[in-house]
């Protein structure tokens, strides 16, 4: 085990650094992991009369650089480190340290202890010399074969064996169609190296040193790939502890600022003058450029190179987008066809009653005093636009999208299982996770607090853990703050409602005729933009709040932390994104009242009501602007701009810290660990998943009101795939490898949104649109079974003399005297004994709406369950291959054990012959087995070339 801790006298050795930046200075040992930290040398004044400052500083720097050992100048840490011996200064025992120097000295000693423990664990490290007064230094870590094989066995990592078996492909018409599809899509395939024989697969088995002869080990340096090597080193870093401050692994040390970062290296630069091709550069050329937007994604290469935070989680991020493109393209096509059908219906059966000038429907004023009576024909354009979406085709398109959502989830489960099989993730067991540093710190404080109790009962300390009582303050804060955030969201929506009401009233006072005629359009457009800005701002706030709330809960493991964070962030962002849309869909215009008894806000401002054509058109506008705004600004501009701004800020911060000093040991060309350190740290896939989940909600929840949502989702996916690809390849550090058998809690959220979409679309069709009133009129109230007279049927009469005093229109422009005005509602006329009460038609339509919701929901749910039942979760060929793999594995084991038995029997037979011949004594015969490995003939090594050293 070599620890290359170079001091100032060995600076020339740095010139021999490996040009690739991927190896130690010997150009042989690969860098598997890197630790980075900032150091600051002590600047305390020496006592007077003890020589020049230059000599003192030189002596002190030699005390710090100890060549990996403890050094004579280092004092053992006993918890009180106020003095430090200075070598080379006779007669001086120590010097008092300033608080900043004492903190830096404590960090240095923690680093030395931690790195010494890593060496004891079997790792090999190489450090940069600290030649400046302050600066950045790196610790490079290499895992030798002994460590890799030991940890791979402990972690039960599946590795390929010598045995290969044939993958059975589906025959018949499916095979022919697959071949035709491959030929047609050949120009769309990325130019990446493919497996030599795609019909054969290596049999994988958890690594075991006792059965090392089973594995296909051609070269020990390349048997474990980079992702596996970095994962093994990360596990050792996480469980290696230090006595100082009871640090439990690298996470605690980073949290305490002992180290700045810990990360595996990328495979090289993604662009440059050299012709050396690596997987990162290949991914950049074939995946992360906008010029290859039309190509399929190289899923297997993405998983091999970048899939280090869960072998499966990142596959979903990249692979689900590719799958979503195909399904979104299909749904967008259906959406376009539906819109075309709706448009034809709207042209064939126009709203003649509303647009015909001869049908003088005099409507009641839209506001008090300043608004005049108006003709319904003035809203002809809005009505035509509403009928483009609000027609019978809406029901069939909603059913189609609900079935599409169910089919999408089923197809994803099948693809997930297929990828799991080819990536050797089937049968993956849950691994025991290390506790988070925050949990360990809180647990340590609890132990210290209960020290007297634990000393009386020593066994109690081992069973100590954080209980619900310990977390109760965090739970209470979570409940209170989440409730407050939801109320804040509703308050923002209410604020926009007040803005709409007051702005509409203010514009109605205008003397400009054009302004008064465009009040509804102006108010709607500006209110939606305000809603979008509020949503974007609150989204960023809620993300930070959700993380803080999860931290104060003190979850034990990273998996628990991630799940709770996802649930909180999704709840807050779901309410934030959809609250304005829910208001327009289900609440706007429901609490207006009626002429003569309107509902007022702040005494004088009437509650807003829907347009004459209904609220569906406004819902479509609201949904489209919010969806497109979030996609364009939050998902695209923020993803491009924020990482670049963070990188620029960190660069400026590093340039400003400390004086510029020449580092004689630093090579001219930056090494790979230098380049990777300047990249942004990988913080997880939660933002990417959240974007897809929210978009899935936009596509499915309100698709009845905005049928072009799948088309916009498709266009966004095409851009989003390349944005994320470029971000992960060029702007982020390489993620750590974490195995996962599925996408976890995200699938449950997707499934929940799919079921919720059925209910919401049922209510949108039944309540928001005029589908049910038109249906009821045509089959129950129409005298000839047509839609003629429908508009007149939906409008009620109001006697203008019943208006409250002070609310009548001033300076009315209507030439004739208005006796009755009309308003949209099912109420009794003024000449009825129960004037202005809800009519029988109102209750009949309400009953029909509820009946439709129940019928639609049960029908679509039944069809979704039918789709789920018809499409198996595991493809038939994959299920057969998994069973075949188990049989092949047993046969392979039996064959290898039989070969071992024959080998042992041959040695026993040869030894028996030697004993009978009497050529050797009893003593030499007893030592025969010890000579097997040394003997060039008949040894374990030379007996069979297919066995590695046993």
């Amino acid at each position: 085990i070599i620890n290359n801790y170079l001091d100032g006298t060995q600076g020339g050795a740095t010139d021999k650094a490996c040009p690739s930046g991927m190896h130690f200075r010997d150009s042989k040992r690969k860098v598997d992991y890197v630790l980075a930290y900032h150091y600051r040398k002590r600047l305390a004044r020496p006592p007077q009369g003890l020589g020049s400052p230059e000599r003192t500083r030189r002596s002190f720097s030699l005390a710090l650089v100890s060549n990996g050992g403890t050094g004579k100048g280092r004092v053992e840490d006993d918890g009180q480190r106020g003095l430090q011996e200075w070598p080379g200064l006779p007669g001086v025992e120590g010097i008092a340290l300033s608080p900043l120097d004492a903190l830096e000295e404590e960090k240095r000693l923690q680093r030395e202890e931690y790195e010494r423990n890593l060496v004891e664990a079997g790792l090999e490290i190489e450090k940069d010399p600290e030649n400046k007064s302050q600066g950045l230094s790196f610790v490079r870590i290499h895992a030798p074969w002994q460590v890799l094989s030991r940890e791979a066995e402990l972690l039960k990592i599946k590795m390929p064996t010598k045995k290969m078996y044939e993958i059975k492909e589906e025959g018949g018409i499916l095979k022919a169609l697959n071949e035709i599809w491959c030929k047609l899509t050949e120009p769309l395939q990325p130019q990446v190296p493919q497996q030599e024989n795609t019909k054969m697969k290596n049999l994988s088995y958890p690594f075991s040193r006792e059965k090392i002869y089973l594995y296909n080990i051609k070269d020990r340096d390349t048997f474990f790939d980079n992702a596996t090597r970095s994962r093994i080193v990360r596990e050792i870093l996480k469980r290696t502890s230090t006595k100082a401050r009871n640090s439990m692994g690298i996470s605690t040390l980073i949290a305490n600022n002992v180290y700045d970062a810990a990360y595996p290296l990328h495979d090289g630069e993604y662009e440059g003058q050299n012709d050396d091709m690596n997987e990162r550069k290949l991914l950049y050329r074939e995946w992360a450029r906008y010029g290859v937007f039309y190509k399929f994604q190289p899923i297997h290469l993405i998983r091999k190179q970048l899939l280090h935070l869960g072998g499966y989680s990142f596959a979903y991020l990249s692979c689900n987008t590719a799958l979503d493109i195909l399904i979104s393209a299909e749904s967008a096509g259906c959406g376009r066809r539906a819109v075309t059908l709706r448009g034809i219906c709207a042209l064939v059966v126009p709203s003649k009653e509303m647009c015909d000038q001869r049908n003088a429907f005099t409507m009641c004023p839209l506001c008090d005093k300043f608004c005049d009576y108006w003709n319904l024909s003035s809203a002809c354009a809005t009505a035509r636009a509403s009928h483009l979406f609000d027609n019978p085709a809406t029901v069939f398109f909603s059913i189609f999208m609900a079935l599409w959502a169910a089919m999408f989830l089923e197809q994803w489960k099948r693809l997930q299982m297929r990828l799991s099989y080819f990536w050797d993730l089937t049968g993956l067991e849950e691994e025991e996770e290390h506790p988070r540093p925050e949990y360990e710190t809180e647990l340590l404080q609890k132990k210290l607090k209960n020290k007297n109790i634990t000393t009386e009962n020593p066994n109690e300390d081992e069973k100590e853990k954080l209980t619900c009582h310990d977390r109760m303050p965090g739970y209470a804060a979570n409940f209170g703050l989440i409730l407050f955030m939801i109320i804040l969201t509703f308050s923002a929506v209410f604020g926009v409602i007040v803005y709409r009401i007051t702005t509409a009233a203010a514009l109605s006072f205008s003397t400009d005729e054009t302004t008064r005629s465009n009040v509804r359009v102006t108010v709607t457009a500006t209110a939606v933009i305000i809603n979008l800005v509020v949503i974007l701002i609150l989204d960023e706030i809620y993300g930070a709040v959700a993380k803080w709330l999860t931290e104060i809960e003190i979850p034990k493991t990273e998996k628990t932390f991630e799940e709770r964070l996802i649930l909180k962030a999704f709840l807050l962002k779901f309410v934030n994104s959809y609250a304005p849309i829910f208001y327009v869909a289900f609440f706007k215009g429901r609490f207006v009242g009626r002429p003569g008894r309107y509902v007022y806000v702040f005494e004088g401002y009437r509650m807003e009501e829907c347009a004459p054509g209904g609220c569906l058109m406004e819902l479509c506008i609201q949904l489209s602007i919010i969806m497109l705004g979030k996609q364009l600004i939050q998902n695209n501009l923020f993803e491009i701009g924020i990482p670049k701004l963070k990188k620029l800020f960190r660069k400026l911060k590093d340039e400003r810290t400390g004086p510029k000093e020449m580092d004689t040991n630093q090579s001219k060309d930056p090494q790979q660990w230098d380049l990777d350190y300047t990249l942004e740290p990988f913080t997880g896939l939660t933002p990417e998943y959240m974007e897809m989940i929210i978009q899935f909600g936009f596509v499915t929840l309100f698709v009845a009101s905005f049928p072009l949502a799948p088309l916009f989702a498709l266009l966004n996916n095409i851009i989003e795939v390349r944005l994320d690809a470029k971000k992960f390849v060029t702007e982020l550090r390489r993620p750590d490898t974490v195995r996962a058998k599925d996408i976890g809690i995200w699938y449950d959220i997707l499934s929940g949104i799919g079921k919720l979409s059925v209910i919401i679309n049922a209510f949108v069709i039944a309540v928001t649109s005029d589908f049910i009133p038109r249906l009821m009129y045509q089959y129950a109230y129409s005298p000839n079974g047509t839609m003629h007279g429908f508009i007149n049927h939906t409008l009620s009469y109001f006697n203008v003399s019943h208006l409250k005093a002070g609310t009548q229109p001033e300076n009315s422009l209507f030439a004739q005297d208005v006796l009755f005005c009309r308003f949209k509602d099912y109420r009794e006329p003024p000449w009825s004994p129960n004037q202005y009460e809800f009519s029988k038609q109102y209750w009949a339509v309400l009953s029909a709406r509820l009946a439709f919701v129940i019928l639609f929901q049960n029908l679509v749910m039944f069809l979704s369950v039918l789709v789920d039942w018809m499409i198996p979760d595991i493809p038939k060929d994959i299920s057969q291959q998994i069973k075949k793999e188990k049989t092949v594995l047993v046969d392979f084991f039996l064959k290898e054990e039989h070969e071992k038995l024959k080998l042992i029997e041959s040695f026993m037979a040869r030894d028996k012959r030697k004993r009978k011949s009497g050529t050797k004594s009893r003593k030499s015969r007893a030592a025969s087995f010890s000579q097997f490995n040394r003997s060039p003939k008949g040894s374990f090594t030379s007996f069979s070339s297919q066995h590695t050293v046993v």
Side-chain angles (χ1 to χ4, degrees), residues 324-455:
D324 196 23
I325 288 176
L326 300 177
I327 303 177
S328 297
E330 180 184 354
S331 64
C334 294
R336 288 194 298 272
R337 290 194 292 273
V339 169
T340 305
L341 177 62
R342 297 170 182 187
I344 294 173
C345 292
L347 292 175
V348 173
V349 187
S351 305
K352 292 183 178 180
E353 292 184 4
M354 184 176 292
C355 299
D356 195 350
Q357 297 285 347
R358 293 172 296 179
N359 293 331
F361 293 111
T362 304
M363 306 298 293
C364 296
L366 296 175
C367 64
D368 295 341
K369 189 184 292 188
F370 297 99
C371 294
D372 198 0
Y373 303 103
W374 55 286
N375 284 324
L376 187 61
S377 58
S378 62
C380 178
T382 307
R384 286 183 180 274
S386 296
H387 281 283
L388 190 66
F389 298 98
D390 187 4
N391 57 72
T394 305
V395 180
F396 299 102
F397 185 67
S398 300
I399 294 174
F400 166 78
M401 287 304 300
L403 295 179
W404 169 83
M407 193 172 296
F408 168 77
L409 295 176
E410 290 301 316
Q411 290 296 333
W412 165 244
K413 282 194 290 188
R414 290 170 61 83
L415 181 60
Q416 181 175 254
M417 193 63 204
R418 187 176 295 276
L419 294 177
S420 178
Y421 166 72
F422 283 106
W423 293 346
D424 294 325
L425 294 172
T426 54
L428 182 65
E429 299 177 359
E430 292 289 337
E431 299 178 0
E432 184 178 356
E433 292 190 63
H434 298 280
R436 298 175 62 249
E438 293 82 0
Y439 179 86
E440 292 175 336
T441 305
E442 193 71 21
L443 185 60
L444 179 62
Q445 292 178 358
K446 180 180 179 181
K447 289 179 180 179
L448 294 176
K449 187 177 180 181
N450 302 332
K451 189 175 182 181
N452 297 330
I453 302 176
T454 54
T455 52

Side-chain angles (χ1 to χ4, degrees), residues 865-912:
V865 172
L866 186 63
V867 169
D868 189 5
W869 175 76
M870 292 178 63
I871 303 177
D873 294 346
I874 304 177
K876 185 178 179 181
D877 59 328
I878 297 299
S879 178
Q880 293 175 350
Q881 293 298 331
I882 293 174
K883 295 177 182 178
K884 180 181 177 180
E885 190 176 79
K886 294 179 180 179
T887 305
V888 172
L889 183 62
V890 172
D891 294 341
F892 178 58
F893 273 11
L894 291 176
K895 183 179 178 181
E896 290 294 329
E897 291 297 328
H898 184 64
E899 293 291 335
K900 280 180 62 180
L901 184 60
K902 287 175 62 178
L903 182 66
I904 294 173
E905 287 177 351
S906 65
F907 280 114
M908 292 179 65
R910 188 177 65 176
D911 187 65
K912 188 175 182 181

Side-chain angles (χ1 to χ4, degrees), residues 436 438-439 471 474-475 477-479 481-482 542-570 572 686:
R436 298 175 62 249
E438 293 82 0
Y439 179 86
R471 294 190 175 100
Y475 291 154
N478 269 263
F479 178 78
L481 278 176
I482 289 177
Y542 288 168
V545 170
K547 186 176 181 180
W548 180 75
L549 289 175
T550 310
E551 287 175 350
I552 64 176
E553 277 190 23
I554 322 172
K556 184 176 181 180
T557 62
E558 287 294 340
K559 182 180 179 181
T560 310
F561 179 87
E562 194 74 16
E563 289 180 351
R564 295 184 182 182
L565 173 62
I566 289 169
L567 286 175
K568 291 181 183 64
F570 172 73
L572 293 174
T686 300

Side-chain angles (χ1 to χ4, degrees), residues 247-281:
S247 297
M248 309 292 184
I250 187 63
S251 301
T252 309
L253 294 175
I254 293 177
N256 294 333
N257 296 320
V258 178
Y259 289 100
D260 292 341
Y263 53 91
L265 293 179
H266 282 293
D267 285 345
E269 297 187 48
Y270 62 90
E271 58 183 358
Q273 302 297 331
N274 57 345
D275 296 329
D276 296 335
M277 180 59 68
N278 56 65
E279 292 180 347
R280 186 187 183 196
K281 184 180 292 187

Side-chain angles (χ1 to χ4, degrees), residues 471-491:
R471 294 190 175 100
M472 193 55 67
Y475 291 154
N478 269 263
F479 178 78
L481 278 176
I482 289 177
L483 186 62
F484 171 76
M485 292 297 172
I486 294 176
I487 294 174
L488 177 64
T489 302
F490 291 154
S491 301

